[in-house]
Amino acid sequence: MNTKAYVDQHKDRFINELIDLLKIPSISADPAYKNDVIKTSEVIKKSLEDAGCDHVEICETPGYPIVYGEKIIDPNLPTVLVYGHYDVQPPDPVELWDSPPFEPVIKKTDLHPDGAIFARGACDDKGQMYMHVKAMEYMTANNDLPCNVKFMIEGEEEVGSESLGWFLERNREKLANDVILISDTGMIAKDVPSITTGLRGLSYVEVEVTGPNRDLHSGLYGGAVANPINILCDMIAQLHDENNHITIPGFYDKVEELSTAERAEMAKAPFSQEAYNKALDIAQEHGEKGYTTNERNSIRPTLDVNGIWGGYTGEGAKTVIASKAFAKISMRLVPDQNWHEITELFQKHFESIAPPSVKVKVKPHHGGTAYVTPIDSLGYKAASAAYEDTFGKTPIPQRSGGSIPIVALFEKELNSKSILMGFGLDSDAIHSPNEHFGIWNYLKGIETIPHFYKHYTAMSK
Ligand code: BES
Ligand code: MN
Ligand code: MN
């Protein structure tokens, strides 16, 4: 049976299995969900066994466990390592969901007339990860597995994959592979397949601005002492100039500049600014002068406040000058920026622009390195051929603005390239309320993945 026929025959079960997986709230950021995260790893283990892996184990780490599975049919054949994550983002703000985040429902949308599964993790990454488990099931059930497979499914991606570096260092042999296959990104549109060839890096920091040693009456003290919230806003505002360039000295020093030809190539991807603005209900786009929307969100570095708090935010009004104000700030980085260096540059600069009336602390969180992969590699060509088989079109290479820090680490530690075959859409609302994953996309992913194995093995000969 071919992949399309098999998917058609088993699609209801494939959907129901994913729904069961989505019911477990595997929120890695919140320790209250520890048992659910661990339970999810056990469900993944069972699913890999059922899909035909010969050897599956739960590997303990200093953090959440990594599920490892393999089927080695012949050491002389190539080995594909599949990476994915079974943890999800917190669902907050829960009140903005139309249905509870861990009670999956199928609903039709304009872009998903066949229905989409609404739940936290539907697209990022349980749904996309599970496509690989079902593709494996197809290949083993139909005697159509052409090479060796290894699975590594982790539970800490959404909190920075801290244990993964630890695990890679200790398991180089076990994880040895020829190519890494990941579905944790998106594609341009259902009729415009694309392969992600770049990811941005990240530097994430938290800042604290302290004014007076206690909260003050804003009438008795207002105007005479620094208000840390006012000062923090002012400092944040200074981080961009009138052209929306980031003002941190040295920030752009190592930024890879793309050639005019590369930018022209990028501009060929179908894109409507009007539709983009309409979908987000904004009157106008906003960003760095001299770059298009697609350049701003992929090949250019950024600085964004992710959260800001302090003072009184409850019901009604309270007249107060807070003692402290806080913000969480992320910088998306591009090749060849070094995230440790950028974190340091930020820290130095932020401290230097603080007026003497306040104290400033910068606390680095996690970070990661950007990634780019060439389109002439065996892995890219095999992926491209796989999409041609099932979409009838050559996929477009696309640099994404998101980050999967582990991809650069794979290259450094395991010396292998990652192929990013994403099947989500930007409108799937990952990390947001009402996250969903189109059933068409889910099934198309399962159908396409085995073609990658076939082409990769054939091209390796
Ligand atoms: N799957 C996403 C990253 C992604 C999504 C890349 C869509 C490209 C397209 C991943 O789970 C994620 O959310 N990564 C984080 C970084 C991580 C260190 C928390 C991100 O990009 O914010
Ligand atoms: Mn993800
Ligand atoms: Mn994510």
Side-chain angles (χ1 to χ4, degrees):
M1 202 185 298
N2 66 25
T3 64
K4 193 170 177 1
Y6 190 80
V7 171
D8 263 347
Q9 191 173 359
H10 296 275
K11 62 178 182 230
D12 291 341
R13 178 171 56 82
F14 290 175
I15 293 165
N16 288 329
E17 286 176 14
L18 176 56
I19 285 177
D20 283 342
L21 190 60
L22 292 169
K23 285 180 184 164
I24 320 172
S26 49
I27 307 165
S28 50
D30 187 345
Y33 293 89
K34 187 171 178 206
N35 290 339
D36 291 301
V37 180
I38 291 169
K39 188 172 151 200
T40 308
S41 70
E42 285 154 8
V43 173
I44 304 294
K45 174 174 187 268
K46 170 88 171 41
S47 73
L48 285 173
E49 285 162 353
D50 293 346
C53 285
D54 288 336
H55 167 75
V56 187
E57 60 183 308
I58 290 189
C59 306
E60 296 304 331
T61 74
Y64 283 125
I66 290 170
V67 188
Y68 176 82
E70 65 176 33
K71 188 171 178 76
I72 307 296
I73 57 172
D74 178 350
N76 295 316
L77 285 169
T79 300
V80 176
L81 174 69
V82 176
Y83 164 83
H85 63 95
Y86 64 81
D87 63 321
V88 302
Q89 283 279 322
D92 311 74
V94 178
E95 65 280 7
L96 295 184
W97 285 73
D98 296 329
S99 55
F102 297 104
E103 293 172 28
V105 289
I106 297 176
K107 278 189 292 190
K108 292 186 166 63
T109 72
D110 288 349
L111 286 175
H112 299 295
D114 301 332
I117 306 178
F118 283 75
R120 172 56 85 231
C123 178
D124 184 11
D125 179 42
K126 282 176 173 165
Q128 296 216 68
M129 175 270 294
Y130 206 66
M131 296 182 315
H132 288 270
V133 181
K134 294 297 99 179
M136 176 72 176
E137 176 193 309
Y138 160 78
M139 291 188 289
T140 56
N142 293 277
N143 222 344
D144 205 11
L145 178 67
C147 61
N148 307 310
V149 194
K150 295 176 177 177
F151 282 87
M152 179 174 59
I153 314 294
E154 71 149 320
E156 292 185 313
E157 197 276 341
E158 298 291 10
V159 288
S161 298
E162 258 182 68
S163 303
L164 210 53
W166 180 94
F167 187 72
L168 291 189
E169 277 169 29
R170 284 163 182 76
N171 293 281
R172 280 206 184 80
E173 194 99 333
K174 179 187 204 130
L175 300 172
N177 65 79
D178 296 283
V179 69
I180 298 172
L181 188 57
I182 304 177
S183 295
D184 194 21
T185 54
M187 59 183 202
I188 295 178
K190 283 161 78 176
D191 56 350
V192 188
S194 57
I195 299 174
T196 302
T197 51
L199 294 163
R200 285 196 285 194
L202 185 71
S203 162
Y204 202 107
V205 298
E206 187 170 322
V207 300
E208 178 190 295
V209 175
T210 307
N213 60 0
R214 61 182 170 87
D215 286 9
L216 303 173
H217 187 289
S218 67
L220 298 184
Y221 290 92
V225 295
N227 177 330
I229 302 177
N230 293 14
I231 301 278
L232 174 59
C233 292
D234 185 46
M235 290 171 72
I236 288 171
Q238 288 178 48
L239 297 174
H240 289 95
D241 68 12
E242 67 281 7
N243 293 323
N244 284 310
H245 283 291
I246 295 156
T247 54
I248 301 169
F251 186 85
Y252 290 99
D253 281 2
K254 295 191 175 162
V255 166
E256 170 206 44
E257 296 289 342
L258 268 68
S259 66
T260 318
E262 282 173 289
R263 288 176 68 183
E265 196 53 44
M266 266 188 79
K268 285 186 189 158
F271 177 74
S272 154
Q273 187 67 57
E274 203 187 329
Y276 184 90
N277 294 2
K278 192 160 174 260
L280 301 177
D281 196 14
I282 51 175
Q284 196 177 37
E285 67 277 16
H286 176 99
E288 189 184 358
K289 193 173 173 194
Y291 295 92
T292 65
T293 294
N294 278 335
E295 291 173 338
R296 287 169 177 169
N297 67 24
S298 65
I299 60 163
R300 297 299 296 166
T302 60
L303 183 152
D304 276 295
V305 179
N306 294 250
I308 180 164
W309 70 101
Y312 183 70
T313 56
E315 284 294 314
K318 178 186 179 192
T319 48
V320 65
I321 293 174
S323 164
K324 286 179 190 291
F326 305 85
K328 289 186 193 278
I329 297 174
S330 68
M331 288 161 278
R332 295 281 169 175
L333 310 177
V334 299
D336 300 300
Q337 290 177 296
N338 173 310
W339 73 269
H340 298 284
E341 259 172 50
I342 292 291
T343 306
E344 239 172 76
L345 289 179
F346 176 91
Q347 180 152 13
K348 255 205 222 140
H349 180 65
F350 204 70
E351 285 166 1
S352 80
I353 62 173
S357 50
V358 298
K359 296 186 211 62
V360 167
K361 268 193 213 153
V362 176
K363 190 174 114 193
H365 270 269
H366 52 79
T369 307
Y371 180 74
V372 266
T373 180
I375 60 171
D376 57 4
S377 72
L378 217 57
Y380 186 91
K381 286 184 191 156
S384 185
Y387 284 94
E388 277 169 29
D389 287 346
T390 57
F391 287 76
K393 281 183 185 171
T394 306
I396 298 176
Q398 184 204 27
R399 287 224 211 169
S400 171
S403 307
I404 311 177
I406 197 63
V407 171
L409 207 64
F410 280 147
E411 183 154 40
K412 188 164 152 256
E413 295 286 340
L414 303 178
N415 201 18
S416 26
K417 287 276 177 202
S418 295
I419 302 302
L420 303 161
M421 293 176 72
F423 292 89
L425 301 181
D426 282 355
S427 53
D428 286 345
I430 63 172
H431 294 208
S432 304
N434 303 314
E435 175 177 353
H436 54 282
F437 190 32
I439 286 174
W440 184 90
N441 301 63
Y442 176 54
L443 300 176
K444 201 71 177 170
I446 303 171
E447 182 194 334
T448 306
I449 290 163
H451 290 264
F452 171 84
Y453 287 79
K454 177 185 74 187
H455 289 296
Y456 188 78
T457 308
M459 290 176 180
S460 296
K461 274 174 190 152

